[in-house]
């Protein structure tokens, strides 16, 4: 058996300490086992006992805003990071100043920088949000679509047309979402909780679903991102998903108000999420509240972690390094045992792929040949050290940034 690429002397998360070989043919994993024939392989990578896993998946990144913190100032950080997150809406209004000068020409340079970091850190799939509204117009979307094509062999960018300032409260934003979909945006975004009334929140969701159905697109919405247990847009989203038959095609981001839910209401929401097959992406490092990640995972919800921001008005750090995000999440979620860390690792690999609707992201014969050879022998040390991988494999090719 000849392979286009063979990774030998590899540990996997489930190999019981044995060293295996991973044979790749084209863009797929052809075989996994001990002592696969090396002869005839076009390229051989010796993992030398390092851990080899599925590559990393970033379920949430505002890619059009990366590296804009110094352009917009720091007042939004104070508003967004207040202990109860009561100023989250104010922070969004403050952060929107960056869009006064939005231009594809400078946005694309920032996006390229972030995509090169994704390559360095083995982050091969990103759900990338682009503000698409009456301020940003289509400048961010155009930059992200351009980057999607430039980096298509290195990172899969799912471009989300995102009405950051609302739909009802920003008349005209819906038209820009439509134009973005016509340009080729992959996912319909939304942020219903930012509307002023429950009726407007429902209208926001209804309008975005209408576009999703018309263009046959998945849906990804920022939900209840404030310290208000009275917010109900997650429930609205789940009910709408069931009504429209969009199960498995919807992802909710943040859902921070969940941290304040009373237990009976949380259990109701959990049942709706399960029934609607909604994925949920949490970003605990970018705000003082977060969704109940462990409870969601234990209940079978496709929960994931996201980078969310890189040096923008909401978060001053970030390297598109999902092992770094995992390291922070271990502390913030108090998931510090070795078994907890295995779960955290799922949230940046296999579980994250499920949340984003990525099929075949699993290290087994027939799976996608999107892999990382880590500079560690196990998950514990990989998260602890959160170094760039030794090798990054995308679509069956070694794309390690030299």
């Amino acid at each position: 058996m000849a392979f286009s690429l063979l990774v030998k002397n590899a540990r996997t998360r489930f190999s019981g300490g044995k060293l295996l070989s991973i044979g790749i043919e084209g863009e797929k994993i052809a075989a996994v086992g001990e002592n696969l024939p090396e002869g005839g392989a076009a390229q051989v990578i010796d993992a030398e006992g390092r851990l080899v896993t599925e590559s990393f998946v970033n379920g949430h990144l505002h890619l059009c805003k990366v590296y804009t913190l110094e352009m917009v100032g720091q007042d939004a950080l104070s508003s967004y990071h207040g202990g109860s997150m009561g100023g989250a809406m104010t922070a969004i209004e403050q952060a929107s100043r960056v869009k006064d000068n939005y231009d594809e020409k400078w946005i694309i340079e920032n996006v390229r920088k972030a995509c090169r970091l994704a390559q360095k850190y083995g982050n091969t799939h990103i759900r990338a949000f682009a503000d698409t509204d009456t301020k940003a117009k289509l400048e961010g979307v155009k930059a992200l679509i351009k980057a999607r094509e430039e980096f298509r062999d290195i990172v899969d960018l799912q471009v989300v047309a995102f009405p950051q300032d609302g739909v009802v409260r920003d008349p005209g934003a819906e038209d820009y979402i439509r134009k973005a979909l016509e340009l080729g945006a992959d996912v319909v975004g939304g942020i219903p909780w930012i509307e002023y009334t429950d009726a407007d929140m429902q209208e926001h969701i209804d309008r975005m679903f209408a576009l999703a159905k018309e263009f046959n697109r998945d849906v990804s919405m920022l939900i209840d991102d404030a310290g208000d247990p009275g917010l109900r847009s997650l429930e609205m989203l789940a009910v709408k998903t069931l009504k429209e038959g969009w199960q498995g095609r919807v992802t909710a981001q943040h859902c921070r108000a969940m941290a304040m839910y009373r237990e009976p209401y949380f259990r109701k929401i959990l049942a709706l999420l399960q029934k609607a097959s909604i994925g949920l992406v949490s970003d605990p490092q970018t705000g003082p509240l977060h969704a109940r990640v462990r409870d969601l995972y234990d209940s079978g919800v496709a929960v994931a972690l996201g980078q969310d921001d890189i040096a923008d008005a909401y978060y001053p750090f970030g390297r598109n390094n999902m092992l770094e995000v995992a390291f922070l999440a271990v502390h913030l979620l108090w998931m510090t045992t070795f078994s907890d860390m295995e779960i955290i690792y799922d949230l940046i690999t296999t579980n994250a792929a499920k949340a984003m609707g990525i099929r075949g992201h699993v290290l087994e014969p027939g799976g996608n040949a999107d892999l990382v050879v880590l500079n560690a022998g196990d998950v514990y040390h990989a998260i602890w050290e959160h170094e760039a991988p030794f090798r990054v494999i995308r679509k069956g090719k070694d794309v390690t940034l030299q």
Side-chain angles (χ1 to χ4, degrees):
M1 184 182 295
F3 303 107
S4 55
L5 176 62
L6 180 76
V7 182
K8 67 179 184 179
N9 296 320
R11 296 183 191 277
T12 75
R13 294 176 66 194
F14 310 107
S15 63
K18 293 181 180 179
L19 296 185
L20 304 177
S21 296
I22 303 165
I24 294 168
E25 183 56 45
E27 298 183 7
K28 295 290 183 179
I29 298 170
V32 180
E34 296 183 71
N35 301 315
L36 294 180
E38 184 177 333
Q43 181 183 1
V44 177
I45 294 174
D46 189 350
E48 299 178 329
R50 295 178 175 89
L51 181 65
V52 179
T53 78
E54 303 84 358
S55 57
F56 301 120
V57 176
N58 181 356
H60 181 189
L61 177 61
H62 292 279
L63 188 53
C64 69
K65 298 176 183 174
V66 294
Y67 309 114
T68 58
L69 173 59
E70 292 176 278
M71 295 172 61
V72 71
Q74 301 178 37
D75 51 357
L77 284 171
S78 298
S79 299
Y80 193 65
H81 292 167
S84 66
M85 292 197 70
M89 186 177 292
T90 299
I92 291 172
E93 293 166 348
Q94 292 166 329
S96 69
R97 291 196 301 264
V98 73
K99 291 182 286 190
D100 292 343
N101 299 303
Y102 247 33
D103 191 315
E104 177 193 354
K105 293 182 180 64
W106 64 258
I107 295 171
I108 186 62
E109 294 304 320
N110 290 347
V111 170
R112 286 171 177 146
K113 180 179 176 182
C115 287
R116 285 190 287 270
L117 282 179
Q119 180 180 3
K120 176 180 178 179
Y121 290 108
N123 185 2
T124 64
H125 295 78
I126 300 174
R127 180 154 286 184
F129 288 70
D131 280 24
T132 311
D133 49 43
T134 58
K135 287 184 178 179
K137 299 183 171 59
L138 298 172
E139 296 303 303
V141 167
K142 289 187 290 185
L144 266 57
I145 289 175
K146 180 180 288 187
R148 183 185 66 191
E149 302 311 310
E150 288 182 14
F151 289 88
R152 66 183 311 136
D153 293 328
I154 295 169
V155 57
D156 174 26
L157 295 181
Q158 295 183 359
V159 178
V160 184
F162 176 55
Q164 170 73 84
D165 297 326
V167 173
V168 179
R169 63 180 285 187
D170 184 18
E174 182 180 355
D175 293 334
Y176 281 107
I177 299 293
R178 172 179 290 280
K179 291 175 183 175
L181 295 170
E182 291 170 348
L183 282 176
D186 303 291
V187 181
V188 176
I191 182 169
W193 74 271
I194 203 174
E195 306 288 1
Y196 291 124
T197 69
D198 286 351
D200 288 350
M201 292 181 198
Q202 186 65 62
E203 183 176 347
H204 182 123
I205 292 171
D206 291 346
R207 288 195 200 177
M208 294 301 97
F209 261 85
L211 287 172
K213 295 195 74 176
E214 179 183 344
F215 286 87
N216 192 25
R217 297 290 202 273
D218 290 354
V219 172
S220 206
M221 293 195 179
L222 271 64
I223 297 292
D224 300 341
D225 187 25
D228 180 0
L231 289 170
R232 293 291 185 265
S233 68
L234 182 55
E235 178 180 347
M236 294 176 188
L237 180 66
V239 171
K240 183 66 174 180
T241 299
L242 290 167
K243 181 179 179 181
E244 299 296 344
W246 232 239
Q247 293 95 321
R249 302 193 62 177
V250 176
T251 306
Q253 326 291 131
H254 288 318
C255 307
R256 298 189 199 266
M258 184 185 294
M260 296 180 161
Y261 288 169
R262 288 188 171 186
E263 196 65 17
Y265 186 67
F266 172 71
R267 295 297 162 184
K268 171 185 172 180
I269 290 298
L270 194 59
L272 281 170
L273 292 174
Q274 292 168 325
K275 191 173 182 181
S277 298
I278 289 177
L280 193 149
V281 183
S282 180
D283 314 275
Q285 78 280 5
T286 60
L289 300 176
H290 54 76
R292 292 172 57 169
V293 169
R294 183 57 188 265
D295 289 333
L296 293 163
Y297 180 89
D298 288 344
S299 298
V301 173
V303 62
L305 296 174
Q307 172 70 74
D308 192 6
D309 305 286
I310 297 176
D312 67 14
Y314 303 97
Y315 182 67
F317 305 114
R319 296 187 295 167
N320 231 346
N321 178 358
M322 293 310 294
L323 280 175
E324 183 174 79
V325 171
F327 176 78
L328 294 168
V330 164
H331 297 80
L332 295 164
L333 303 177
W334 283 109
M335 295 178 66
T336 53
T337 67
F338 287 0
S339 59
D340 285 341
M341 290 183 218
E342 294 289 343
I343 292 172
I344 290 289
Y345 202 86
D346 288 342
L347 305 191
I348 58 173
T349 54
T350 52
N351 243 54
K354 292 176 185 175
M356 289 173 60
I358 301 167
R359 296 180 180 177
H361 195 68
V362 60
L363 202 171
E364 64 182 28
N368 301 332
D370 296 330
L371 305 170
V372 285
V373 182
L374 298 175
N375 274 306
D378 55 52
V379 164
Y380 165 48
H381 287 90
I383 292 176
W384 182 1
E385 293 153 4
H386 44 277
E387 293 182 4
F390 173 68
R391 287 286 185 272
V392 177
I393 298 168
R394 165 71 171 153
K395 294 183 177 180
K397 295 181 180 179
D398 184 353
V399 298
T400 308
L401 189 62
Q402 301 298 330

